[in-house]
Amino acid sequence: MNKKLVNLIFGISLGILLLLCIMTFDRLSNFNKYTKIIDNSHKVLLVISNMRSGFNTSIAEQRSYLLTKNVAYYNEFQSEKDSLRHSIQLFKKLTRGNKVHQHYIKKIEEESDNRIQSLLLEIINDTSSAKYKYNQLELISANDEINKNFFDLLETVDNHEKQLLSRRLVIKEFEEEFTPFLLFILALIAMGIIIYSFVIIGAELKKRDETTKLLEQSIEELNKSNTDLEQYAYVASHDLQEPLRKIRLFSNKLLGDYGEALESDGKDMLLRMNNSAEKMTILIKDLLSLSSLTSENPAPEKVNLNNIVDEVALEFEDIIKENSIDFSHSDLPSIDGYAGQLHQLFQNLIGNAIKFRREDIPLEISVRNYVVTKWEGDISYNYHHIAVRDNGKGFDNEFKNKMFTIFGRLDKTSDIAGTGIGLSICSRIMQNHEGELDAEGAVNAGATFHLYFPHE
């Protein structure tokens, strides 16, 4: 199954669960919000009721005092008057966010103060000993209009608050009915997607188990094939080389003992047969070398590359002197590796430089060491960069990858002796050393082979 599809399914599931959490929090916040708003409405209605009751009580206490002249009623009147003003202030506080109530609160304060002052005026007028004073009944009758205005105001704000409460209760009831259903649907969708994901992943895991079993069988068959190949290699190294050795032995004996008696055509055939047998022997040896590099390597050891290159140069000493080849190398590092393979590596590269030299200019071969840094993402790695350069025939960079394949040879070099396996062996040796092999060249301008060994 596509990994992107799995990530998409889990992403959708996670998104729905996140949405479910957000909506749950939002719904609970709304419940809390509307609960507070409705609670506030009940408090406002209670304060309005208290203002109405307090106003009526203050009037009743004032009338009782006027009739009985009992000071207790007067004190109660004063207490109710203060309580009324407190209720008005509480109403003002509870409705500070409501523009309609804030509009009426000023009128309520004014009418309340007017009525309290008129009640006090009635008391003062009744207890006064002045010769000229208001007619008490006329004063009471005149103040009834103030009472009516105050109660009308209370009725107006009471109706407005009841309408608000009614609308808020409708919204809350809708939220209470709709929210559980919505959350339930979202939960079902999320659960369905998660179950679907588990089913798909379970099927994929089962498929992977089957693939793993097939892979294990393939590995077992591959190991068996590798064992057979090793046996074939053994046959090639012994049984095939022995007949070739005898062919070369007898062809050489024929040439030596009966070469003079043979006609030129017969002698030429024997020479060709001998050369072909020799080429076949070299090819088998190279194939065996490449095959041995793919088998398990021994434990690596510290190898001084100066010694390796000096040993290879000593092997080519006669050719170097005979052809006046300028060979040099800088101070080379010691690396963890396999001495035999490294010897073969430099032997092939230096041998190639000699093999593909130009006839018109003296050959120059140099082996130089550098330290370079390569980046893989944000991580840097240091490498020993060893460059093997020559000024020989070179090659076209466009076809350089062909050189590293088995039997890969460039068209213009097909007339030069060799099996075409040498650079394949070099590439495999670099892989065994966890390194890289690259090359660059130009036709008739030389070639450079770049070896990158991991730094300690």
Side-chain angles (χ1 to χ4, degrees):
M1 184 177 60
N2 195 328
K3 184 179 179 180
K4 291 183 178 179
L5 179 60
V6 175
N7 292 337
L8 178 63
I9 292 173
F10 274 103
I12 293 174
S13 302
L14 184 61
I16 291 178
L17 289 175
L18 182 61
L19 177 63
L20 184 63
C21 293
I22 293 174
M23 292 193 66
T24 301
F25 177 77
D26 181 65
R27 295 302 92 192
L28 292 175
S29 298
N30 277 343
F31 284 147
N32 187 43
K33 173 184 173 183
Y34 281 105
T35 299
K36 289 181 178 179
I37 291 175
I38 291 171
D39 183 60
N40 187 75
S41 289
H42 286 302
K43 289 179 179 179
V44 171
L45 292 174
L46 180 61
V47 169
I48 294 173
S49 177
N50 289 339
M51 285 193 293
R52 185 185 289 111
S53 175
F55 197 72
N56 285 330
T57 302
S58 65
I59 293 173
E61 296 296 341
Q62 188 253 16
R63 293 287 184 266
S64 298
Y65 173 71
L66 291 177
L67 291 174
T68 64
K69 300 298 187 292
N70 188 337
V71 178
Y73 289 116
Y74 179 78
N75 292 335
E76 288 294 331
F77 164 72
Q78 292 290 346
S79 176
E80 288 297 333
K81 178 189 68 173
D82 294 337
S83 178
L84 175 62
R85 286 175 173 169
H86 174 74
S87 296
I88 292 173
Q89 292 302 315
L90 180 59
F91 176 80
K92 187 176 182 180
K93 179 180 178 182
L94 291 173
T95 60
R96 60 179 175 268
N98 190 304
K99 294 182 179 180
V100 176
H101 283 321
Q102 291 299 309
H103 170 73
Y104 285 111
I105 193 66
K106 295 180 180 179
K107 294 183 178 181
I108 291 174
E109 287 179 326
E110 292 175 0
E111 294 298 334
S112 173
D113 289 339
N114 289 340
R115 184 55 184 130
I116 290 172
Q117 293 299 325
S118 68
L119 292 175
L120 289 173
L121 181 59
E122 290 176 13
I123 294 174
I124 294 171
N125 184 72
D126 184 69
T127 57
S128 176
S129 59
K131 183 178 180 179
Y132 298 102
K133 58 181 181 179
Y134 295 104
N135 183 289
Q136 191 71 3
L137 292 177
E138 291 178 359
L139 190 62
I140 292 173
S141 177
N143 290 330
D144 285 343
E145 184 65 25
I146 297 175
N147 295 343
K148 182 178 181 303
N149 291 339
F150 183 77
F151 284 121
D152 286 345
L153 282 173
L154 291 181
E155 187 66 23
T156 300
V157 295
D158 185 74
N159 290 335
H160 176 69
E161 190 62 35
K162 286 179 179 177
Q163 289 175 2
L164 289 177
L165 178 61
S166 177
R167 289 197 295 267
R168 289 164 180 170
L169 287 172
V170 170
I171 295 174
K172 184 183 179 184
E173 288 176 0
F174 173 77
E175 292 288 340
E176 288 176 344
E177 293 177 0
F178 175 73
T179 298
F181 174 75
L182 177 63
L183 297 180
F184 178 72
I185 293 298
L186 286 175
L188 281 181
I189 293 174
M191 188 179 298
I193 293 178
I194 291 173
I195 292 174
Y196 176 70
S197 302
F198 275 113
V199 170
I200 290 180
I201 292 173
E204 179 64 19
L205 290 176
K206 183 179 179 181
K207 182 178 178 181
R208 289 190 178 185
D209 288 340
E210 294 174 352
T211 304
T212 302
K213 291 180 181 178
L214 290 174
L215 183 60
E216 290 175 353
Q217 292 176 0
S218 299
I219 291 173
E220 185 177 348
E221 293 174 359
L222 182 61
N223 289 334
K224 184 179 179 181
S225 299
N226 287 337
T227 302
D228 293 341
L229 286 175
E230 290 177 1
Q231 293 177 353
Y232 296 151
Y234 178 81
V235 170
S237 63
H238 292 80
D239 298 350
L240 290 181
Q241 287 191 71
E242 182 60 22
L244 286 172
R245 189 183 67 81
K246 289 183 178 179
I247 290 173
R248 292 178 61 195
L249 176 65
F250 288 122
S251 63
N252 286 330
K253 188 171 180 60
L254 279 173
L255 285 171
D257 296 344
Y258 304 100
E260 297 297 331
L262 291 174
E263 297 181 358
S264 60
D265 289 343
K267 189 175 182 179
D268 182 61
M269 289 180 185
L270 278 175
L271 287 172
R272 290 185 181 186
M273 180 180 67
N274 190 43
N275 289 335
S276 296
E278 185 176 358
K279 288 181 179 180
M280 187 65 178
T281 301
I282 295 172
L283 177 61
I284 290 174
K285 288 182 178 179
D286 285 347
L287 286 173
L288 286 174
S289 296
L290 182 62
S291 175
S292 66
L293 293 175
T294 61
S295 61
E296 185 177 355
N297 291 310
E301 58 184 355
K302 188 68 67 175
V303 180
N304 189 321
L305 295 182
N306 290 299
N307 298 336
I308 296 293
V309 173
D310 288 338
E311 290 172 3
V312 172
L314 190 61
E315 293 177 4
F316 291 108
E317 183 178 16
D318 293 340
I319 299 178
I320 291 173
K321 289 181 178 179
E322 181 181 346
N323 294 276
S324 300
I325 297 173
D326 181 10
F327 178 82
S328 65
H329 70 85
S330 64
D331 184 36
L332 302 177
S334 294
I335 64 171
D336 290 330
Y338 313 104
Q341 294 184 21
L342 292 170
H343 184 96
Q344 188 175 13
L345 171 68
F346 285 98
Q347 185 183 56
N348 287 353
L349 293 177
I350 295 173
N352 269 0
I354 295 173
K355 187 186 302 182
F356 295 101
R357 64 185 182 274
R358 293 169 58 182
E359 300 297 335
D360 54 338
I361 60 174
L363 177 62
E364 297 177 0
I365 303 174
S366 65
V367 182
R368 296 289 181 266
N369 174 51
Y370 311 93
V371 175
V372 297
T373 301
K374 291 190 176 186
W375 292 84
E376 293 183 13
D378 295 332
I379 304 176
S380 64
Y381 296 93
N382 291 330
Y383 286 85
H384 292 294
H385 173 205
I386 298 176
V388 181
R389 294 188 178 91
D390 66 66
N391 63 342
K393 293 183 178 181
F395 59 88
D396 190 340
N397 274 324
E398 183 180 354
F399 306 104
K400 70 176 182 179
N401 290 331
K402 183 180 178 181
M403 298 187 304
F404 297 110
T405 60
I406 298 179
F407 306 118
R409 303 192 66 181
L410 303 183
D411 294 338
K412 293 183 179 181
T413 63
S414 57
D415 58 332
I416 296 180
T419 61
I421 301 178
L423 290 180
S424 297
I425 293 175
C426 292
S427 178
R428 183 62 199 178
I429 290 173
M430 292 304 297
Q431 292 179 30
N432 288 348
H433 287 78
E434 299 181 4
E436 299 177 14
L437 173 63
D438 194 11
E440 61 178 341
V443 178
N444 291 325
T448 303
F449 289 88
H450 302 280
L451 314 177
Y452 296 96
F453 294 97
H455 202 281
E456 288 184 87

